[in-house]
Amino acid sequence: MANAETFSQARDMFEIYLEQNGHRKTPERFAILQEIYDYSGHFDVDQLYSQMKEGEFRVSKATLYNTLELLLDCNLVRKHQFDNKNAQYEKSFRVAQHDHVIIADTGEVLEFCDPRIQQIKATLEELFDIEVLHHSLNIYAKKRTK
Ligand SMILES: [Zn+2]
């Protein structure tokens, strides 16, 4: 669960992004952001949709998809395609940088953080004279049988 300060900063960033890009600042969009920042771990649109049905704001799936696109664009949310299941999302502001290991037979997703990935990005930026915007690294594995 995100603490109040993290959510309030994410909310400010989203508000500025919406203003600067000429999108409407609807209460539904902020409710979706709140729901995402209260949630820990990965979720797909169906999970988010059924969770929001319990809350104050009834939002359509179209609104969810649309808002997720905006949140991806301003880097408040990350999107993953772990296998042939639905796309998974997670909050990304003030969340430790991490990548994922997917256990093939169970679909379990493990998170890991390795500073060498930061180094690889820095090396690539230098080598190609680029600025890395984001990256995606999924490792697919199976548990060892003893
Ligand atoms: Zn993750």
Side-chain angles (χ1 to χ4, degrees):
M1 166 129 15
N3 68 34
E5 196 198 330
T6 299
F7 174 68
S8 133
Q9 288 181 11
R11 195 194 149 91
D12 289 349
M13 289 163 68
F14 193 36
E15 190 167 356
I16 290 166
Y17 168 83
L18 291 173
E19 269 172 21
Q20 286 181 344
N21 292 276
H23 297 295
R24 286 182 308 129
K25 294 187 281 179
T26 63
E28 287 79 8
R29 285 178 171 159
F30 291 106
I32 293 167
L33 180 71
Q34 170 101 64
E35 195 69 42
I36 292 171
Y37 272 73
D38 282 347
Y39 195 84
S40 58
H42 309 114
F43 58 87
D44 65 17
V45 170
D46 289 338
Q47 278 169 279
L48 184 58
Y49 180 71
S50 52
Q51 200 155 316
M52 292 213 63
K53 273 204 298 201
E54 319 286 313
E56 191 186 341
F57 289 99
R58 298 284 178 116
V59 297
S60 67
K61 278 200 185 171
T63 302
L64 279 185
Y65 278 111
N66 167 286
T67 302
L68 281 166
E69 284 308 310
L70 299 173
L71 290 169
L72 285 165
D73 196 42
C74 62
N75 288 318
L76 287 170
V77 165
R78 287 169 82 192
K79 181 181 183 178
H80 310 292
Q81 192 67 52
F82 291 136
D83 47 25
N84 46 19
K85 290 193 302 186
N86 294 337
Q88 302 278 311
Y89 298 85
E90 68 183 319
K91 63 189 173 207
S92 61
F93 176 62
R94 290 263 180 93
V95 173
Q97 182 62 57
H98 64 268
D99 292 289
H100 300 94
V101 177
I102 298 96
I103 307 299
D105 48 349
T106 62
E108 185 187 1
V109 177
L110 310 171
E111 296 185 335
F112 71 95
C113 176
D114 190 319
R116 285 174 295 182
I117 290 163
Q118 249 355 88
Q119 292 168 20
I120 291 170
K121 291 202 279 190
T123 305
L124 291 173
E125 287 183 327
E126 186 99 335
L127 185 64
F128 295 121
D129 192 24
I130 53 171
E131 181 192 343
V132 173
L133 298 172
H134 52 79
H135 79 275
S136 163
L137 173 62
N138 294 332
I139 309 273
Y140 295 86
K142 66 182 180 101
K143 292 269 189 199
R144 282 196 174 133
T145 46
K146 287 179 187 138

